Amino acid sequence: MAKLGYSVIGVLGISTLLTLTGCFGPPAQAPTNTSAAPTTSASPTASTSKTASPTPTATISTPAASPSSAPAGPPATAEPTTPAFPEQVGPLTVYYVAVGDNGVSGSPIGCGDSIVATTTAPVRFTDQVGPSVGTLLANKSRDVGLSGLMNALYQSDLTYAGGELSGSTITIWLTGQFMLAGVCDIPRVKAQLEYTAMAASGATSARVLVNGRPIEEVLSLK
C-alpha cells in the first residue's frame, strides 16, 4: 500500500510539567493498556491528500450508567482563587488518523492505520487537557486540511466534562454519543481521544469514560 506524505512537525513539549496528581475542570473547551504517546507528528496543512471513501454511518448511543454501577465522575472542586497551573501560550497537540498507513507516519492502530500528531496555532491556556480534547471534539470536518489525515470523530456529539491525572494515567470524562462510519472507526476514535489526552497531560496511559462508562464498553459491538 502506498505511503501517505506528510510534513512532519515536532510535538511541542509541555513547558510546565504537571504534578503527579491533579484535576482538570471543564475547558473554556485511555487504552489503560496504552504504553506511551507517539513521537511522530504531521502537519494538518501538508500538501499530500488521501482519504478513505465514506461508508454508511451508524450511531452508537451511550446512555448514562446507573448510579449504583457508574464509575466516579469528574471530581467536583471549588473554583480556585488562583490557577492550578501557570498560564501559558503555545500550540496544542491533537491526533488524527492516517488511513492505511500501517504505522509509517505514527503509531499503528487497528485496521492498518496510524495515529498521527498535529499542532494547532498558539493558544492561551493553564491546563492543556481540556483545550486539547475540546479542540478535537469541536472539529466537525472529516478531512484535516490537505494533510491526508482524517478525523473519525467528526460526526460524534461529545463534550469534555473534566479530567484527572493520577500518577502516569490521565482519565477524561466525556458526555454525549458517538456517530461512526463503520467498525474501523472504533479503534480510530479511541486512539484519537487517548493520544490527545496523553500528549496534553504528559501521561503514558489514558482512560476515557463516556457518560460514566469505559469507552471500550461503549464502543463494544457485543
Side-chain angles (χ1 to χ4, degrees):
M1 184 172 295
K3 298 196 302 181
L4 299 179
Y6 309 99
S7 296
V8 178
I9 64 174
V11 177
L12 297 184
I14 305 171
S15 61
T16 303
L17 293 177
L18 300 178
T19 54
L20 290 180
T21 59
C23 299
F24 311 104
Q29 274 305 252
T32 53
N33 295 327
T34 303
S35 59
T39 57
T40 304
S41 63
S43 169
T45 58
S47 59
T48 302
S49 177
K50 179 179 180 181
T51 59
S53 299
T55 54
T57 59
T59 301
I60 297 181
S61 298
T62 57
S66 63
S68 61
S69 61
T77 57
E79 183 176 350
T81 55
T82 58
F85 304 100
E87 187 174 75
Q88 304 173 61
V89 176
L92 302 173
T93 300
V94 180
Y95 280 81
Y96 295 105
V97 179
V99 177
D101 186 67
N102 288 309
V104 174
S105 302
S107 293
I109 58 175
C111 291
D113 302 331
S114 301
I115 190 73
V116 179
T118 70
T119 54
T120 69
V123 299
R124 189 177 301 276
F125 59 85
T126 53
D127 139 49
Q128 283 196 48
V129 178
S132 296
V133 175
T135 296
L136 174 62
L137 297 178
N139 185 355
K140 298 306 178 183
S141 296
R142 181 185 184 278
D143 300 320
V144 184
L146 298 177
S147 66
L149 301 177
M150 67 90 70
N151 174 23
L153 284 160
Y154 79 106
Q155 296 181 103
S156 297
D157 182 15
L158 296 165
T159 301
Y160 175 80
E164 181 179 30
L165 179 66
S166 179
S168 61
T169 300
I170 179 66
T171 300
I172 60 172
W173 285 267
L174 308 177
T175 59
Q177 69 177 20
F178 290 96
M179 178 83 73
L180 306 182
V183 293
C184 282
D185 274 359
I186 294 176
R188 291 167 182 166
V189 298
K190 188 171 182 289
Q192 284 188 252
L193 290 165
E194 291 173 347
Y195 277 77
T196 297
M198 287 190 292
S201 63
T204 57
S205 62
R207 296 178 64 226
V208 180
L209 301 177
V210 182
N211 299 328
R213 299 165 59 197
I215 189 171
E216 295 84 359
E217 178 183 324
V218 171
L219 296 177
S220 174
L221 296 178
K222 295 180 180 179

